[in-house]
Amino acid sequence: MYSKLYSACLYGIDGVLIEVEVDLSSGIPQTSIIGLPDSAVRESVERVRSAVRNCGFTFPLQRITINLAPADLRKEGSAFDLAIALGLLSASGQIVLPQDEKVLMIGELSLEGRLRPVSGVLSMVDLAKRQGFTSVLLPRENAEEAHLLGGIKVYGLRHLRELVPEDHQELLLSKSGGGTYQLESMRHLEVPALPAPPAQLAVQSAAQEDYSDVLGQLHVKRALTIAAAGMHNIILIGPPGTGKTMLIRRLPTILPPLSQEESLEVTKIFSAAGKLKEPEAGLIRTRPFRSPHHTISAAGIVGGGTIPKPGEVSLAHKGILFLDELPEFSRGALEVLRQPLEDRAVTISRTKAAFTFPAHFILAASMNPCPCGFLGAEPPLPMCTCGPGKILRYRDKISGPLLDRIDLQVEVPRPGDWPYDPSPLSSSSMREKVLAAQALQQHRYRRHNISWNSELSGRTLRRFTRLNKEAEGMMKATFEALGLSMRAYDRILKLSRTIADIENSEEILSVHVAEAIQYRQLDRRSTS
């Protein structure tokens, strides 16, 4: 009168193995779930009761105790329904499950016994594979997502009755069958993996826009190439209509593709957030591009909720977070970006647990120089109508510590005389420079746990950004003249390293430092 099966739940974006123990004993009929269940888990008793009866099985009229172990970990969600139902049927002797397989069971039950898909399947199946499970039983709609990892059998279930052989289902539904149903195997439920999509498909579909569409603005394209080559944060400042948004929206076309490890990590985040809409297309291969509206809350940016879910900074992991019209975002929403920009992760604490979500992304932003957008503009653009106080309040929405964390601050003026650019700089030529610079970084940091120049810090920063006497003198003079913080000083060094890599120079020269310094436009403006 006892059975033990295995299920899983999400803890942040990672899967956690849960033992589902079911015990039947004599006494007044009642069902108890223990092991720190939340409301969704406690309500599973009623879902399972109705599903079992509507499928022709018998719900035991005994004292039922369901334990979810480990007992000190809070259990959330509806993914335990299937394991609880099969645990009850197994403990009451109505079904004998195959003994030659170690099966993970995930799925939510409807009242009639249908299986509903759940979020976070990729993380749970990844856990099962690492824990030595041979197969996973889950809703048929989640089968393609489970197949993304490979190396584990996937059994897809549309209805609880499918566990019983077809020749017994009519007896089962008539409630006159009785007896025990021996499941020697579940091969009839196995879902074959779909053919893998072509490796170039995702890249080609994402490259519909190109930098050759943007006429002129060669200095901005240069800055965007540097940002992509070293994963540096960037902000574009200029009047309306100069192409700021157009330029940033094409940034994904020059970024290198995700590695296999990065693809799995990004796909797990989208799976945990319930945003993996097309699992049959395979793992996510293109770097994410997130562009939230300026009305978003601080919790929407970093994540949160009663059951914490990844926010925009985590959904942009290994990709781009684009904040258009940066000063229009609330001060609170912008200030929460400080920690993820520095630590490349977000920790959300709750009463009983703390959840950590990865958040390593390029912050790309745009803004006008003033509320009307025409400060410093020359004819034929309109004259600025904003007073000094209004301009100050507008810029004060972006704090100094946040600006310190933005490596490239680039002005985007109105393009000059026609024709703007007789030979437009295309995404493919910019991408070649980015890939070459990335290859240099991968080789340089092969013995260190970093991949990009923007990740340098402490001793590794000093080791890989040594300056000659001329460049060091230039940095010292700039530090004193602009009143830079030590963080801004370090970020100029990292930017100089990336510029040198783009120029295929192992040594950082004064010309590289000079270019990095001239990208600190807002630092200059604050001291003028």
Side-chain angles (χ1 to χ4, degrees):
M1 308 297 282
Y2 168 85
S3 70
K4 182 173 75 172
L5 301 177
Y6 295 94
S7 188
C9 67
L10 282 179
Y11 191 86
I13 65 165
D14 298 316
V16 177
L17 187 66
I18 303 296
E19 292 182 3
V20 180
E21 299 177 294
V22 179
D23 177 76
L24 307 182
S25 59
S26 301
I28 299 174
Q30 66 176 28
T31 304
S32 302
I33 296 184
I34 58 176
L36 288 182
D38 72 344
S39 298
V41 179
R42 285 194 295 269
E43 291 168 355
S44 68
V45 171
E46 301 307 320
R47 290 194 297 271
V48 170
R49 189 195 309 274
S50 297
V52 165
R53 287 175 175 172
N54 289 329
C55 288
F57 294 105
T58 301
F59 191 86
L61 294 176
Q62 294 173 274
R63 184 181 180 87
I64 303 171
T65 304
I66 302 168
N67 181 42
L68 305 178
D72 61 344
L73 180 71
R74 187 164 182 81
K75 319 303 185 304
E76 299 167 334
S78 57
F80 305 112
D81 287 8
L82 181 59
I84 291 173
L86 295 185
L88 283 168
L89 296 177
S90 178
S92 59
Q94 299 179 66
I95 279 182
V96 178
L97 296 170
Q99 300 299 310
D100 59 342
E101 291 190 75
K102 191 176 180 182
V103 185
L104 185 76
M105 300 178 181
I106 308 165
E108 176 186 336
L109 282 169
S110 72
L111 298 185
E112 65 166 332
R114 290 193 176 276
L115 270 291
R116 291 189 172 124
V118 295
S119 299
V121 164
L122 189 63
S123 298
M124 299 180 200
V125 175
D126 182 42
L127 168 75
K129 186 178 176 182
R130 289 186 279 108
Q131 294 282 345
F133 283 76
T134 57
S135 53
V136 57
L137 178 65
L138 41 60
R140 181 63 181 81
E141 288 88 341
N142 288 131
E144 284 77 14
E145 183 178 345
H147 265 306
L148 294 178
L149 290 167
I152 190 170
K153 289 182 182 177
V154 176
Y155 296 126
L157 197 61
R158 289 189 174 89
H159 202 286
L160 200 57
R161 284 197 302 267
E162 291 181 4
L163 288 170
V164 178
E166 290 185 10
D167 54 345
H168 286 76
Q169 286 189 18
E170 187 174 343
L171 288 173
L172 183 66
L173 289 172
S174 68
K175 300 185 183 293
S176 60
T180 299
Y181 297 95
Q182 179 82 37
L183 296 179
E184 297 180 357
S185 76
M186 292 188 287
R187 288 180 197 154
H188 63 291
L189 299 172
E190 188 169 357
V191 180
L194 294 173
Q200 301 84 5
L201 184 62
V203 177
Q204 290 174 354
S205 62
Q208 296 174 354
E209 296 177 330
D210 196 279
Y211 272 114
S212 60
D213 302 332
V214 183
L215 300 178
Q217 307 295 11
L218 293 182
H219 73 290
V220 186
K221 293 181 182 180
R222 165 75 175 181
L224 290 163
T225 303
I226 296 168
M231 287 287 280
H232 297 287
N233 303 319
I234 183 170
I235 183 170
L236 303 184
I237 311 113
T242 55
K244 302 186 296 295
T245 301
M246 189 177 184
L247 284 157
I248 291 179
R249 287 197 176 276
R250 283 157 176 73
L251 189 54
T253 64
I254 64 173
L255 288 172
L258 292 167
S259 66
Q260 182 68 18
E261 183 180 349
E262 290 174 331
S263 292
L264 178 58
E265 192 174 10
V266 170
T267 309
K268 283 171 66 175
I269 293 172
F270 276 77
S271 173
K275 297 182 181 294
L276 191 61
K277 302 302 182 185
E278 298 179 355
E280 65 276 4
L283 294 175
I284 295 174
R285 297 292 179 183
T286 55
R287 296 188 180 271
F289 184 91
R290 305 292 300 180
S291 180
H293 192 261
H294 64 260
T295 56
I296 191 171
S297 66
I301 289 283
V302 297
T306 306
I307 302 174
K309 293 289 185 183
E312 290 294 332
V313 295
S314 297
L315 294 171
H317 182 60
K318 300 299 182 181
I320 301 162
L321 177 65
F322 176 35
L323 302 183
D324 201 5
E325 300 299 337
L326 190 64
E328 299 302 326
F329 287 79
S330 69
R331 180 72 179 255
L334 294 180
E335 290 306 297
V336 296
L337 287 170
R338 290 195 203 177
Q339 188 240 347
L341 285 174
E342 202 70 31
D343 300 340
R344 303 180 186 89
V346 173
T347 300
I348 301 172
S349 297
R350 291 293 179 263
T351 305
K352 296 183 181 294
F355 301 87
T356 299
F357 300 105
H360 186 191
F361 58 93
I362 296 176
L363 174 62
S366 69
M367 64 177 287
N368 295 327
C370 66
C372 77
F374 297 105
L375 179 66
E378 298 178 357
L381 293 179
M383 295 293 292
C384 175
T385 58
C386 304
K390 195 174 181 180
I391 295 173
L392 185 61
R393 286 192 298 273
Y394 180 74
R395 293 183 180 175
D396 277 349
K397 290 186 178 180
I398 309 171
S399 67
L402 181 59
L403 281 178
D404 258 357
R405 291 166 168 82
I406 300 179
D407 306 319
L408 295 106
Q409 304 158 5
V410 186
E411 289 193 358
V412 186
R414 184 173 180 270
D417 297 331
W418 187 274
Y420 303 123
D421 187 3
S423 55
L425 192 60
S426 67
S427 290
S428 59
S429 57
M430 294 167 68
R431 195 165 187 262
E432 286 178 8
K433 294 183 179 181
V434 171
L435 293 176
Q438 186 206 22
L440 289 174
Q441 293 170 69
Q442 296 288 338
H443 178 74
R444 182 187 300 124
Y445 307 131
R446 63 190 182 280
R447 294 187 179 90
H448 303 270
N449 191 29
I450 57 177
S451 302
W452 305 89
N453 290 329
S454 59
E455 299 175 48
L456 290 169
S457 63
R459 291 183 180 179
T460 54
L461 175 63
R462 306 305 169 199
R463 176 182 173 185
F464 293 111
T465 59
R466 290 175 183 166
L467 305 178
N468 58 32
K469 190 173 181 179
E470 183 182 358
E472 191 172 349
M474 181 182 295
M475 280 293 293
K476 182 179 178 181
T478 302
F479 183 79
E480 294 174 352
L482 297 183
L484 298 176
S485 67
M486 287 306 300
R487 182 185 290 112
Y489 179 87
D490 287 349
R491 287 185 175 270
I492 290 175
L493 288 178
K494 298 175 192 178
L495 201 58
S496 302
R497 176 70 274 168
T498 301
I499 294 170
D501 288 342
I502 289 177
E503 300 301 326
N504 197 24
S505 171
E506 187 57 34
E507 184 183 4
I508 300 177
L509 305 176
S510 58
V511 65
H512 304 143
V513 174
E515 184 176 357
I517 291 170
Q518 64 98 12
Y519 288 124
R520 305 294 300 191
Q521 295 289 339
L522 295 178
D523 289 328
R524 293 183 186 182
R525 195 172 293 175
S526 63
T527 58
S528 59

